[in-house]
Amino acid sequence: MIKIGILGCGTIGGGVIRLLESKGVEIQQKMDNQIEIKKVLARTPDKARAIGVPEEKITQDPDDIINDPEIQIVVELIGGIDTAKDFISRAIKAGKNVVTANKDLIARHGNELYKLANEKNIDLYYEASVGGGIPIIMPMRRTLAGNSILSMIGILNGTTNYMLTRMSKEGMSYDAVLKEAQDLGFAEQDPTSDVDGLDAGRKITILAKLAFNADVSDLDVRCEGIRGVRQRDIVLAKDLGYTIKLLAVAKDKEEGIELGVYPSFIPERHPLAAVSDAYNALYVTGDAVGDVMLYGLGAGAMPTASSVVGDIMQIARHIKAESTGIGNDLRVFDKQVLPAEKTVYSYYVCMTVDDKPNVLSAIAKGFGDHNVSIQSVVQKHTTDNWAELVLITHDVEKKDIDAALKTIGELPEVGRVDNVLRVMNDL
Ligand SMILES: NC(=O)c1ccc[n+]([C@@H]2O[C@H](COP(=O)([O-])OP(=O)(O)OC[C@H]3O[C@@H](n4cnc5c(N)ncnc54)[C@H](OP(=O)(O)O)[C@@H]3O)[C@@H](O)[C@H]2O)c1
């Protein structure tokens, strides 16, 4: 029998407890071993009582779990960084194997914790930290390990994907869809972490550490969220054969690692364009395997619990085989993060300009002076003396498009630059 302690009895903690209880017999048959929850840390004990945790298993003292010699696996599900890091570090030092779903912590301090886990020869598993119920970490760690991973492009935040899907399918505005998502409980009252791309940034950081053996943190990710995406951009994207998605991007290039989260145009025919509502997906390109897409529910109590329980079972097998710590050989190579201004993309630019002759040539010159060449231009909508001009550039360095947009914004013919978004043509 393997005894475990669970730190945190919220959405995911509750899901894990329910899954382990309901699948107890099946798990025992599959593993020829039993997993018993010995203690649950609950800051609000009523939450543990409400899901049927017996009184004698509920504690408000983390040391009842961390210092219990019978507990071999500690499952951290409190979230946040500092306290969770303290609990996990102490658990590892006490020789416990650890499972966590905590993307904030792994993205910020993962390498430090992996090192600690290595020193103690224990397992530190975190499948649920990226993509909730989608198996991503294990395939990256094991099945795809023989590849050089060239790029990973992910839709890794269900809230923003739900919002962009509603904006696209129902023609809703950003403000209306955010309110709806908050009313339905899909978005937090403070939606910053989702809509500003920070949550997706943490997840792509974890994947970049794993795939590129890079010592990166979430602070290295350039995050641009969806607050600026207008209903009009979605309509224009559709007209041009694209869908707008919030993409988390990691690329291993000779010049350095690129890490970013950007609302982007992707061609409608690309498999990521079909990932709708709260679903997540990761599109991985490896030099041997080619393109692989992993898809499923990226959040929610039971999908996430599914990943946490899978980790617990895997560690239980290692404990039985006395082989914990074997998968922890994470080496870190010295790789630089590519500065944002050196990243190269094609851009969509929507602007409101004077509806007069020679405007286009002035704009083309403004772009050309900064090495930006234009792939296509469409004049969409005209009112009074104004025209809406939509153009797509060829691939350019960010520093050049920024300089060109500054010049163009100052032209007397240009009323305003309405929006600028990346166009991912060669995913
Ligand atoms: N929700 C998802 O769909 C999802 C998906 C993937 C990963 N995750 C990750 O899973 C983790 C848990 O998320 P969640 O959604 O379950 O959060 P949650 O519902 O807020 O649950 C966290 C629980 O931990 C408790 N807690 C917080 N600090 C504590 C402390 N110092 N001591 C004891 N208990 C403490 C909270 O107690 P109170 O009840 O008293 O507040 C709460 O019950 C996070 O790292 C999150 O990023 C969540």
Side-chain angles (χ1 to χ4, degrees):
M1 172 175 321
I2 304 287
K3 296 194 180 184
I4 71 169
I6 297 180
L7 304 171
C9 194
T11 308
I12 308 305
V16 169
I17 292 166
R18 279 184 279 137
L19 192 57
L20 283 172
E21 290 301 323
S22 64
K23 293 287 163 74
V25 175
E26 201 179 319
I27 288 174
Q28 185 177 1
Q29 286 166 349
K30 273 186 189 167
M31 297 184 37
D32 197 19
N33 202 349
Q34 206 182 335
I35 291 170
E36 186 197 305
I37 301 173
K38 186 170 181 201
K39 284 269 181 240
V40 175
L41 174 74
R43 189 166 61 185
T44 312
D46 278 349
K47 286 193 182 173
R49 291 183 191 116
I51 53 166
V53 180
E55 204 58 38
E56 69 278 9
K57 292 194 175 187
I58 302 173
T59 178
Q60 288 189 289
D61 181 356
D63 287 335
D64 284 348
I65 292 174
I66 293 167
N67 295 331
D68 183 330
E70 280 189 354
I71 290 178
Q72 291 177 282
I73 305 174
V74 171
V75 184
E76 183 277 308
L77 298 169
I78 65 170
I81 294 188
D82 294 336
T83 308
K85 183 174 181 231
D86 174 53
F87 288 176
I88 290 182
S89 304
R90 287 203 282 132
I92 295 174
K93 284 177 188 157
K96 315 288 184 212
N97 298 280
V98 172
V99 176
T100 178
N102 193 329
K103 56 211 146 200
D104 306 28
L105 176 62
I106 296 294
R108 188 68 57 86
H109 297 295
N111 285 343
E112 186 185 331
L113 294 172
Y114 306 147
K115 203 164 159 248
L116 206 55
N118 253 355
E119 283 164 16
K120 298 299 284 188
N121 233 15
I122 58 94
D123 283 342
L124 168 61
Y125 277 31
Y126 48 95
E127 181 64 66
S129 66
V130 181
I134 314 171
I136 291 182
I137 301 291
M138 190 49 80
M140 298 298 302
R141 213 175 191 182
R142 186 174 297 176
T143 327
L144 297 174
N147 288 260
S148 296
I149 301 296
L150 308 174
S151 71
M152 297 178 287
I153 314 286
I155 294 175
L156 297 177
N157 181 269
T159 305
T160 46
N161 201 42
Y162 169 82
M163 291 171 66
L164 290 172
T165 304
R166 296 283 289 163
M167 286 173 78
S168 176
K169 288 193 177 154
E170 313 298 333
M172 295 171 79
S173 69
Y174 171 84
D175 289 335
V177 81
L178 175 60
K179 184 169 181 320
E180 182 191 78
Q182 286 171 324
D183 290 347
L184 291 170
F186 286 163
E188 306 277 338
Q189 282 316 304
D190 174 4
T192 309
S193 162
D194 292 324
V195 300
D196 290 340
L198 308 177
D199 175 75
R202 290 169 194 137
K203 293 166 181 168
I204 201 71
T205 303
I206 295 171
L207 294 176
K209 282 176 201 273
L210 200 57
F212 307 149
N213 295 81
D215 188 10
V216 288
S217 107
D218 55 324
L219 303 173
D220 295 314
V221 187
R222 181 185 173 84
C223 292
E224 297 173 16
I226 65 163
R227 284 183 206 261
V229 177
R230 305 167 307 156
Q231 176 53 226
R232 182 77 189 138
D233 300 316
I234 288 180
V235 170
L236 292 168
K238 258 189 215 169
D239 279 2
L240 296 166
Y242 294 93
T243 302
I244 299 181
K245 293 286 181 193
L246 183 66
L247 298 182
V249 176
K251 293 182 185 172
D252 195 2
K253 295 178 160 179
E254 249 173 55
E255 320 84 84
I257 289 174
E258 183 189 334
L259 285 175
V261 177
Y262 320 115
S264 314
F265 277 37
I266 51 170
E268 265 168 359
R269 63 176 187 283
H270 193 278
L272 283 172
V275 177
S276 298
D277 302 313
Y279 279 85
N280 282 199
L282 182 72
Y283 193 81
V284 185
T285 304
D287 61 348
V289 74
D291 298 332
V292 172
M293 189 160 106
L294 305 160
Y295 168 86
L297 280 174
M302 297 322 283
T304 309
S306 153
S307 288
V308 173
V309 170
D311 278 353
I312 295 170
M313 290 171 68
Q314 188 60 17
I315 295 176
R317 290 187 191 102
H318 290 171
I319 292 172
K320 199 172 173 192
E322 297 184 1
S323 62
T324 60
I326 278 176
N328 281 342
D329 53 346
L330 191 96
R331 291 193 55 197
V332 177
F333 303 141
D334 188 18
K335 293 188 180 181
Q336 298 300 313
V337 176
L338 197 64
E341 62 271 18
K342 293 232 160 149
T343 57
V344 174
Y345 285 99
S346 156
Y347 287 85
Y348 146 93
V349 182
C350 179
M351 59 183 103
T352 303
V353 301
D354 272 347
D355 192 15
K356 284 187 194 154
N358 299 327
V359 170
L360 201 53
S361 57
I363 290 171
K365 182 174 181 318
F367 277 117
D369 285 349
H370 295 282
N371 308 316
V372 179
S373 72
I374 297 169
Q375 182 189 304
S376 63
V377 188
V378 195
Q379 181 172 322
K380 293 305 271 188
H381 185 72
T382 311
T383 44
D384 302 326
N385 296 322
W386 294 106
E388 183 185 54
L389 203 65
V390 177
L391 53 88
I392 307 253
T393 72
H394 283 291
D395 279 351
V396 289
E397 280 199 359
K398 174 124 184 28
K399 69 169 173 24
D400 290 332
I401 186 85
D402 285 349
L405 288 168
K406 186 166 181 299
T407 303
I408 281 159
E410 287 163 2
L411 291 175
E413 298 89 342
V414 174
R416 60 177 184 270
V417 175
D418 296 293
N419 213 352
V420 181
L421 296 168
R422 287 169 184 74
V423 180
M424 308 273 179
N425 274 322
D426 35 323
L427 287 181

